[in-house]
Amino acid sequence: MFKKYFFAFLISSMSLFAHGIFYNVVEGAISVHISSANNISISDAKVKVFAPGGNLPYAKGYTDINGNFAFMPDSAGIWHVKVSMSSDHGSHDKEFNIELSDDYKVKDFDKLPIERYLGILSILGIIFGIFGAFSFFQRKKTIR
């Protein structure tokens, strides 16, 4: 009698897990954040990711409300990303590459031109600032 109720309870309790939410955390996703020039996240931008040497999109979709898009790479190499979005005054497109190492970590990616030259511009600004301050104080001494 006990076995009969035990098996009935066991079978009925198994159906409780059928409606649960299960999840798994996976490492190795590459995330891309899309934003405007004034650092405002762009949601619903269309993103296509192409595997190294691939002509068909490996992953495609839209950025979330925070401007993020993620994909799981399956090989090392240079991945090509195309982003497009439309606004009131037309379509905006951007393409860039992401280089992944053998362990699928980001090795390098195309930086915006302003980011490439930001270090040089900063050094030039410091040099001109020092030269300007020096000139100001030298001029002040000669005027007296």
Side-chain angles (χ1 to χ4, degrees):
M1 179 94 169
F2 174 72
K3 288 182 185 180
K4 183 174 156 183
Y5 288 117
F6 176 73
F7 286 118
F9 172 75
L10 185 65
I11 291 173
S12 65
S13 65
M14 291 177 98
S15 65
L16 293 174
F17 295 108
H19 298 288
I21 297 175
F22 299 93
Y23 62 90
N24 187 16
V25 178
V26 179
E27 293 182 1
I30 303 298
S31 178
V32 178
H33 179 75
I34 308 297
S35 62
S36 63
N38 51 0
N39 208 20
I40 296 175
S41 298
I42 299 175
S43 61
D44 294 326
K46 186 185 233 178
V47 181
K48 289 182 182 178
V49 180
F50 296 87
N55 293 330
L56 297 174
Y58 174 82
K60 60 183 178 178
Y62 294 90
T63 56
D64 65 6
I65 195 165
N66 296 319
N68 296 319
F69 180 83
F71 66 97
M72 293 288 293
D74 64 353
S75 64
I78 298 175
W79 290 72
H80 188 70
V81 180
K82 292 183 179 181
V83 180
S84 62
M85 63 162 285
S86 58
S87 68
D88 296 342
H89 54 275
S91 178
H92 302 277
D93 299 325
K94 180 66 79 176
E95 295 185 25
F96 58 93
N97 294 319
I98 301 172
E99 185 177 356
L100 300 181
S101 61
D102 291 333
D103 58 353
Y104 306 145
K105 304 272 188 219
V106 176
K107 188 175 183 180
D108 194 19
F109 62 95
D110 294 344
K111 298 191 177 40
L112 297 172
I114 188 74
E115 290 178 5
R116 276 189 243 147
Y117 304 115
L118 196 58
I120 294 170
L121 292 174
S122 298
I123 292 171
L124 287 175
I126 291 170
I127 290 171
F128 284 127
I130 291 170
F131 178 74
F134 181 73
S135 297
F136 176 76
F137 289 118
Q138 284 293 86
R139 184 174 177 201
K140 203 171 189 181
K141 286 181 183 177
T142 58
I143 292 176
R144 291 182 190 181

